[in-house]
Amino acid sequence: MVATPNSSYISPEDYLKAEETSLIKHEYRQGFVYAMAGASNTHVIITGNMFAMLRNHLRGSGCQTYISDTKAHIESINIYYYPDVIVSCDRRDREFDNFLRYPCLIIEVLSPTTEAFDRGDKFADYRKMESLQEYVLVSQTRMNVEIFRRNPEGQWVLYTYSPGDNIHLISVGFDFAIADVYEDITFEGSQS
């Protein structure tokens, strides 16, 4: 998300209508629209890897996996974000064309320009989604995945994964190697 919003209030309806034909994606936060920056090739590969693994795992399950162009709508606070990968197993989400309200899993691939926002305000906003069970942050500079998981008491607990680890996504019952997230990615230095 870019730090400078358009200067005047825009209704959610006007935002959604404009977004249908816009050449640039924008996120919407309580009446203000923010242009999104482009992604690096590393970001795109990691996002694609996550999407492909989840799509294959969830095929035929009733859950749907979406990539980059589907918005998360946080209705209670009037926000639309574009997560890198979003999964919903809630049939109510099938009635929407270009956003979801009831995801169980959201994945963000961290970028230098968005990392602080993804960890801070965006995560605080996502936590308002009662259906959300896991929020995953994936580094694109080193082999590191962080999963924030909502426990039965409603608290968010952090689980971290590094080289050699297997990752477990409870929200969708999926186990995979961290190496699979970083397939076709080469890091500078000693890690590959």
Side-chain angles (χ1 to χ4, degrees):
M1 179 178 288
V2 173
T4 308
N6 286 350
S7 59
S8 58
Y9 176 85
I10 296 172
S11 72
E13 297 78 19
D14 288 344
Y15 160 72
L16 290 172
K17 184 173 174 74
E19 202 66 3
E20 287 177 10
T21 58
S22 177
L23 298 177
I24 300 170
K25 291 191 301 189
H26 300 84
E27 292 188 324
Y28 178 89
R29 199 162 195 260
Q30 301 168 332
F32 295 95
V33 175
Y34 301 82
M36 294 183 64
S40 70
N41 288 345
T42 298
H43 187 285
V44 172
I45 291 168
I46 293 169
T47 301
N49 289 345
M50 293 296 295
F51 171 79
M53 289 188 301
L54 284 163
R55 174 72 178 115
N56 287 334
H57 171 71
L58 294 172
R59 185 170 275 122
S61 71
C63 297
Q64 294 290 318
T65 307
Y66 303 85
I67 192 168
S68 299
D69 287 336
T70 297
K71 294 176 277 303
H73 179 209
I74 310 167
E75 187 177 23
S76 64
I77 53 175
N78 196 21
I79 289 176
Y80 291 87
Y81 289 133
Y82 282 99
D84 291 313
V85 179
I86 184 170
V87 175
S88 176
C89 300
D90 193 310
R91 296 196 65 78
R92 294 175 292 179
D93 274 329
R94 304 250 172 125
E95 65 188 68
F96 308 119
D97 287 332
N98 54 17
F99 62 84
L100 304 175
R101 285 189 183 147
Y102 309 102
C104 59
L105 171 64
I106 290 177
I107 299 169
E108 296 284 5
V109 177
L110 300 173
S111 300
T113 56
T114 65
E115 182 171 356
F117 183 70
D118 289 345
R119 290 181 179 285
D121 288 345
K122 187 180 263 190
F123 182 33
D125 293 340
Y126 281 147
R127 289 193 307 258
K128 304 232 186 305
M129 303 178 95
E130 292 182 15
S131 62
L132 188 63
Q133 298 170 38
E134 291 176 305
Y135 181 56
V136 180
L137 298 175
V138 182
S139 173
Q140 65 173 308
T141 59
R142 62 192 171 100
M143 196 175 287
N144 185 64
V145 174
E146 298 168 292
I147 298 177
F148 291 90
R149 186 172 296 139
R150 192 188 312 250
N151 69 16
E153 293 78 36
Q155 301 297 313
W156 290 88
V157 179
L158 172 63
Y159 298 83
T160 59
Y161 301 89
S162 54
D165 289 342
N166 284 319
I167 297 171
H168 182 62
L169 293 174
I170 291 175
S171 60
V172 292
F174 185 39
D175 293 299
F176 54 96
I178 193 171
D180 295 339
V181 174
Y182 293 97
E183 183 179 352
D184 297 326
I185 300 296
T186 302
F187 296 101
E188 291 184 26
S190 62
Q191 192 176 27
S192 59

